Amino acid sequence: MTILEYSWAGSEEPYLDEIDIQHVGRMVLGRFGGNRTAGQYKNEDGCLLWTSFNQDWEFTVLLDAHTTAESAELVIQTVKILKSEIAALLMMPPGEAFEQVGGLLLNKFKSQDFKAKCKKVKGETAFLCVIRQSSFLWWLSIGDCILHLFHPELAAFNEYQQNHRSFYEWVGKVNTFDLPVPCYSSGAKELRKGRNHIFLTTDGLTECPNTNFADPKEIFNLFSMFGNEDGVRELLTLIKDKNVRDSTTIISWIIDTEHEGRKPGS
């Protein structure tokens, strides 16, 4: 199995005052580290993107760390170690694959070895893992990164965001997996027939002053006027022009499916 892969942490290249667009298979990765004139001096985001050429899936991790990027770096290194196991599990049918991958990630995060490493880093990170396999989407979310699914049938019901921003949850020095009950959320979603737009972002986008991107309908409407890459670039250009301080990392891709989503019986 050939897997196209890319990973990055803001400590490697912060993209201050700079918009960067990369392609990883069908996925578009957009980064803007924030404006120096607004006081930004570091980037603590991170990401990991895998896609298989011969299997029908994408695996993504998006991270938004605090204090330093060390916690994001640790999570990226940890997930990379699991690459062959995750790739093998994603050869299973989606239902089994999602359950098995979720269990693998959680067991690793709960391990004494990983928790000991977390105690040694400065700061902590939000964590969002999103997998698309076949006509289904699955996610594991710790903290406040955002996952939207844009489709006209969902937009008709004002449904866009799939996870919820959950505050006071992290992986790192302050670690949800040190709790007697680790706190996180997970979910799955059936894609609809036609154009499904999967969109992940850190909160620099949604918290940018003088914009309304906290309302996902604003993002949905913008992409109705642009293709995937141009839409990501336009979003980052708009927040740059608004002199945003916080860094923003976006992972965005389109899945066209012939699969008929479930509909209610008549």
Side-chain angles (χ1 to χ4, degrees), residues 131-144:
I131 306 172
R132 195 282 310 179
Q133 184 182 1
S134 183
S135 54
F136 293 92
L137 198 63
W138 175 92
W139 60 91
L140 173 64
S141 182
I142 302 164
D144 59 357

Side-chain angles (χ1 to χ4, degrees), residues 136 151-154 156-157 189-194 257-266:
F136 293 92
H151 187 283
E153 291 182 4
L154 300 178
F157 291 94
K189 184 73 175 179
E190 182 185 34
L191 301 183
R192 311 299 299 171
K193 185 176 181 178
T257 179
E258 292 299 315
H259 168 81
E260 285 280 4
R262 300 299 94 179
K263 292 185 178 178
S266 56

Side-chain angles (χ1 to χ4, degrees), residues 22-39:
Q22 299 281 340
H23 288 260
V24 182
R26 57 164 55 97
M27 295 179 283
V28 170
L29 170 64
R31 292 167 289 194
F32 178 64
N35 288 290
R36 286 188 174 92
T37 53

Side-chain angles (χ1 to χ4, degrees), residues 42 45 73 84 88 95 97 102 112 117 128-129 136 143 147-148 161 169-170 197 210 228 255 258 264:
K42 59 182 178 178
D45 288 354
E73 293 165 3
S84 60
Q112 292 304 316
K117 291 177 181 176
L128 174 61
C129 175
F136 293 92
L147 166 64
H148 295 318
Q161 189 163 332
E169 290 178 5
W170 301 281
H197 179 191
N210 303 310
N228 189 23
I255 297 294
E258 292 299 315

Side-chain angles (χ1 to χ4, degrees), residues 69-189:
E70 289 180 15
S71 54
E73 293 165 3
L74 174 60
V75 171
I76 291 168
Q77 293 162 5
T78 301
V79 176
K80 278 184 173 181
I81 292 169
L82 302 174
K83 177 185 169 185
S84 60
E85 291 177 76
I86 290 171
L89 292 173
L90 289 175
M91 296 182 73
M92 296 178 173
E96 297 173 60
F98 296 152
E99 182 178 355
Q100 294 291 326
V101 173
L104 179 67
L105 290 170
L106 289 173
N107 286 337
K108 186 65 176 178
F109 291 157
K110 292 174 184 176
S111 69
Q112 292 304 316
D113 173 64
F114 179 75
K115 290 195 288 184
K117 291 177 181 176
C118 283
K119 294 184 188 301
K120 297 178 182 178
V121 301
K122 293 180 181 177
E124 43 278 326
T125 186
F127 169 91
L128 174 61
C129 175
V130 176
I131 306 172
R132 195 282 310 179
Q133 184 182 1
S134 183
S135 54
F136 293 92
L137 198 63
W138 175 92
W139 60 91
L140 173 64
S141 182
I142 302 164
D144 59 357
C145 293
I146 295 164
L147 166 64
H148 295 318
L149 176 61
F150 297 126
H151 187 283
E153 291 182 4
L154 300 178
F157 291 94
N158 208 35
E159 180 185 344
Y160 306 97
Q161 189 163 332
Q162 297 303 304
N163 69 337
H164 67 276
R165 296 184 69 196
S166 193
F167 301 100
Y168 305 106
E169 290 178 5
W170 301 281
V171 179
K173 180 71 110 181
V174 179
N175 192 358
T176 190
F177 294 101
D178 286 332
L179 291 170
V181 180
C183 298
Y184 55 87
S185 64
S186 183
K189 184 73 175 179

